[in-house]
Amino acid sequence: MKTECRKRTSKPTDPYAPVLYSHHSISELRSKLSCGELSCTDITNGYLLQIERKKHLNAFIEVFGEEALQRARTLDQKKDHPTSWGKLYGVVIGIKDVLCYKDHHVGASSGILKGYTAIYNATAIQRLMDEDAIIIGNLNCDEFAMGSSNEHSVHGRVLNAIDESRVPGGSSGGSAVAVQADMCMVSLGSDTGGSVRQPADFCGIIGMKPGYGRISRYGLLAYASSFDQIGIFSKNIDDLAQVLSVIAGQDAFDSTCSSAAVPDYTTEINPEEKYRIAYFPQSMEHPSLDPEIKKNIQDWMGEMKAKGHSIEPVDFEYLDHVVPTYYVLTTAEASSNLSRYDGIKFGYRTSQKTESLNELYKKTRSEGFGKEVKRRIMLGTFVLSTGYYDAYYAKAQQVRRLITDKTNSIFSQYDLIVMPTTPATAFKFGEKSNDAVEMFLGDLYTVYANLAGIAAISLPLFKHSNGMPFGVQVMSDRLQETKLLSFSTQAMKS
Ligand code: GLN
C-alpha cells in the first residue's frame, strides 16, 4: 500500500502522539518505516508512552520497556536495507501471560507460578521474533485462562477502555484491551472456549482463533489441551492475516499441530468470492440472546444476502448441550494438566512447615491457586473419578463426537457458519462474579468452535444502544482460514 511520506518538521509537544496515529495497519507502518518517516525506536517509544498513559486499565502485567527499545535500536540498524526486513519488522506485539518468552516471567496470572521464568520460547513467539517483531510486554488474563471477565487474576482486574465500569471479557482481557487502547498493534491470546473472541466482542476489536492444530501449542501453558489454540487480536483483517501467516504451521515440538502447508493469507484473501453460509435458528432464537443483538445480526445477514452470499438455516439440535459438554471435558483436562503445579517443579511453594510430601502439595496448591481454578480442578477430578467417569466424562466425549460429525456434515454443504459471539454486551464488574453458572452460560456461542476444532472469528460490526460494541461470529472448517478471512474482509468493508 502506498502512503504519503511526511518528514516531521516541528517538534510536537507530545512527541509520540503522531507516531501512534500515523499508521493504521502493518502495511502502512512498513511504508512509513521504509521512507524514513518513522523508525522502530519511534514506534516503540510511542507505544511505551501510551502504555504509561493507560496504565490504570491494568492490561499489562510487565512491560519489557528497556529491552524492547534495545531491540528497536538493533532493528533500526538495518533501516536502509528493507530487503533484509522480516515480515513483521517493527511491529509491536503484546503477549498473554500464558505464552513462554525465554528468560521472562510467565505466570498464567496465577499465584502458583510466582517467580517462575520461561526457559524457552513458545513456537509462536519464536516465529514472531524471527520476523523482527518487537515483544513489548506480557498481558493480564484470568488465572490459567479460566474465566470470561478477567476478574480472576492474581494481578487484579482489567478495565474495558470504552466503559471502565465494565469487564473487558476474558480470559484474554489484557490482550484485548492492549489492542483496543492502542498499547500495541496486535496481541496474542489463547482460546479454549472463547477467550479471544469474547473479549474482542466486548472491546470492539477483531479476535480470531484458527482451527485446532493450525498454530503450535508448544510453549502455551495448558488449560485443556484438546481445546486450546493461540489466537490473535487486531484492528483489521490484513494485520491478523500477516501475523497468522507467520505463526501458523507444522512444528516438531507439537504433534497435534497440522503439517498442512500454510498459505500466505494476505495474498490468498479473495475479497470478491461469494460464500454458502449456514446459521443455526436455535442460536438466533435462544432466550438468552439480547433482542438488539439479534435484530442487528438478522439485518446484517440480510445485507450479506443482498451482496450475493447465500445464507440458510440449518438445524443444530445440540446447542443446549455445548456448555455442559465443554465444562465437563475442559475441567477434566484441566485437572490433569494442572496436577504438575505441586510446589516441587515450578514457581510457588508454601512457606508453612509440613510433615509430609502430601501435605506440602496440599498447602502449596491451596495457597497458590485461586478460587475459580480450584473449582474447576475439583469439578474435573469429580467427573473423572471411578463411578462417575461413564456418566460424565465418557458421555461428554460421546456428545463431542456427535457435534463433530454434525459439523463435518454442515461443512460438506456450506463454507461458513455465522452466529452471535456473545448473548449480551460487556457486563459490569461484579454483576456475574457470584454466579458461576450464569458466567458459564455466557459462553453459549463460543465453545462450539472449540468442541468441533474449527476456526472462528469475531468481527466488531455493531454498537448497542447501551454504548457498548458487539460483534458477529463467523466460523470455517479447520484449515479453511482463507475463506474465513476472505469473507471477513468483505464484511468489515460493508
Ligand atoms: N470463558 C471460557 C472458560 O471460562 C473460555 C476460556 C478460554 O477460552 N480460555 O472456560
Side-chain angles (χ1 to χ4, degrees):
M1 188 196 291
K2 263 227 141 345
T3 36
E4 209 187 310
C5 194
R6 283 173 286 120
K7 290 270 178 205
R8 264 189 269 145
T9 43
S10 62
K11 223 175 171 314
T13 37
D14 174 357
Y16 298 114
V19 173
L20 283 179
Y21 302 107
S22 68
H23 55 280
H24 300 100
S25 66
I26 294 176
S27 311
E28 254 181 67
L29 169 71
R30 210 172 168 93
S31 314
K32 303 261 169 184
L33 288 168
S34 57
C35 72
E37 187 182 326
L38 291 175
S39 68
C40 293
T41 309
D42 287 336
I43 293 293
T44 309
N45 271 320
Y47 285 108
L48 286 173
L49 193 75
Q50 181 73 350
I51 291 172
E52 187 54 36
R53 279 193 191 124
K54 301 283 174 183
K55 212 173 169 173
H56 67 285
L57 298 175
N58 201 25
F60 279 82
I61 295 170
E62 202 181 332
V63 182
F64 312 138
E66 248 329 292
E67 186 190 331
L69 279 172
Q70 182 52 46
R71 183 163 166 83
R73 284 191 284 267
T74 308
L75 291 172
D76 279 334
Q77 284 168 12
K78 54 177 178 180
K79 68 178 192 319
D80 297 327
H81 307 283
T83 49
S84 68
W85 294 0
K87 292 188 181 122
L88 299 175
Y89 180 75
V91 177
V92 172
I93 300 181
I95 58 174
K96 184 175 179 179
D97 191 33
V98 289
L99 286 158
C100 292
Y101 181 24
K102 192 171 190 283
D103 298 331
H104 296 78
H105 173 66
V106 59
S109 290
S110 177
I112 202 104
L113 276 163
K114 196 168 171 216
Y116 179 70
T117 299
I119 54 172
Y120 58 84
N121 280 329
T123 299
I125 301 298
Q126 187 61 50
R127 290 182 181 172
L128 294 178
M129 307 279 289
D130 291 346
E131 294 295 342
D132 291 342
I134 299 168
I135 310 287
I136 196 129
N138 70 348
L139 296 159
N140 205 346
C141 57
D142 281 303
E143 185 178 359
F144 279 99
M146 297 173 186
S148 308
S149 63
N150 223 129
E151 290 171 296
H152 308 295
S153 164
V154 77
H155 306 288
R157 61 199 199 178
V158 178
L159 311 186
N160 191 320
I162 295 177
D163 176 347
E164 294 179 8
S165 68
R166 290 179 193 263
V167 304
S171 65
S172 316
S175 301
V177 170
V179 171
Q180 178 196 39
D182 294 314
M183 294 186 262
C184 54
M185 283 190 82
V186 288
S187 66
L188 295 189
S190 65
D191 189 309
T192 304
S195 277
V196 168
R197 290 158 286 150
Q198 185 256 24
D201 174 285
F202 281 11
C203 292
I205 60 170
I206 300 169
M208 186 241 196
K209 78 163 275 287
Y212 187 79
R214 186 71 294 198
I215 301 177
S216 165
R217 291 178 296 111
Y218 181 69
L220 167 69
L221 303 193
Y223 160 13
S225 309
S226 76
F227 292 74
D228 298 341
Q229 266 296 285
I230 292 173
I232 304 164
F233 292 93
S234 71
K235 285 196 167 170
N236 62 69
I237 299 293
D238 195 58
D239 286 3
L240 196 151
Q242 296 207 34
V243 173
L244 182 63
S245 301
V246 166
I247 65 178
Q250 187 167 19
D251 180 18
F253 295 128
D254 177 4
S255 60
T256 65
C257 188
S258 169
S259 59
V262 180
D264 179 345
Y265 295 105
T266 50
T267 53
E268 297 281 306
I269 283 175
N270 183 335
E272 304 298 332
E273 197 162 336
K274 304 300 171 207
Y275 292 102
R276 297 164 305 167
I277 303 172
Y279 76 91
F280 304 152
Q282 287 88 344
S283 71
M284 298 305 292
E285 298 308 326
H286 202 273
S288 68
L289 181 61
D290 178 312
E292 216 174 298
I293 297 185
K294 175 177 169 174
K295 165 125 190 25
N296 275 275
I297 293 183
Q298 267 169 344
D299 292 351
W300 172 82
M301 289 200 292
E303 282 167 36
M304 291 299 108
K305 227 172 175 168
K307 291 211 150 67
H309 304 283
S310 78
I311 302 199
E312 291 170 9
V314 171
D315 197 45
F316 184 71
E317 60 275 36
Y318 304 120
L319 191 66
D320 281 330
H321 301 291
V322 294
V323 169
T325 308
Y326 168 84
Y327 277 96
V328 168
L329 294 177
T330 53
T331 55
E333 291 190 26
S335 76
S336 161
N337 274 326
L338 272 58
S339 65
R340 73 190 70 173
Y341 304 107
D342 55 8
I344 306 292
K345 305 183 198 76
F346 314 92
Y348 180 76
R349 178 180 300 171
T350 183
S351 51
Q352 287 188 61
K353 218 175 129 28
T354 51
E355 301 296 333
S356 67
L357 194 55
N358 243 338
E359 205 189 330
L360 174 82
Y361 292 158
K362 273 191 196 162
K363 290 215 158 101
T364 299
R365 287 166 67 82
S366 303
E367 292 164 15
F369 288 129
K371 194 171 124 219
E372 182 61 24
V373 172
K374 284 183 203 160
R375 186 205 316 272
R376 296 195 191 199
I377 292 174
M378 287 195 285
L379 198 57
T381 308
F382 174 77
V383 301
L384 287 173
S385 58
T386 320
Y388 296 99
Y389 184 95
D390 286 340
Y392 294 103
Y393 184 73
K395 183 62 80 189
Q397 288 286 37
Q398 289 165 345
V399 178
R400 188 179 198 185
R401 162 56 60 193
L402 291 174
I403 290 170
T404 310
D405 289 348
K406 174 79 188 182
T407 305
N408 289 339
S409 107
I410 296 170
F411 282 125
S412 67
Q413 292 177 61
Y414 296 90
D415 302 302
L416 303 167
I417 300 170
V418 294
M419 192 142 70
T421 309
T422 57
T425 56
F427 45 91
K428 301 255 182 195
F429 284 104
E431 210 175 299
K432 295 192 181 181
S433 38
N434 292 325
D435 188 341
V437 174
E438 207 197 327
M439 193 79 100
F440 292 176
L441 289 173
D443 298 334
L444 176 71
Y445 299 124
T446 47
V447 296
Y448 164 61
N450 306 73
L451 280 162
I454 60 178
I457 192 166
S458 179
L459 303 171
L461 297 180
F462 311 104
K463 194 169 173 187
H464 198 276
S465 58
N466 66 11
M468 297 310 289
F470 63 94
V472 62
Q473 185 179 201
V474 188
M475 289 168 263
S476 76
D477 204 355
R478 209 181 278 218
L479 300 176
Q480 297 298 321
E481 286 83 3
T482 308
K483 280 186 192 171
L484 189 64
L485 298 178
S486 297
F487 177 75
S488 299
T489 303
Q490 301 178 36
M492 290 293 287
K493 278 198 186 120
S494 60

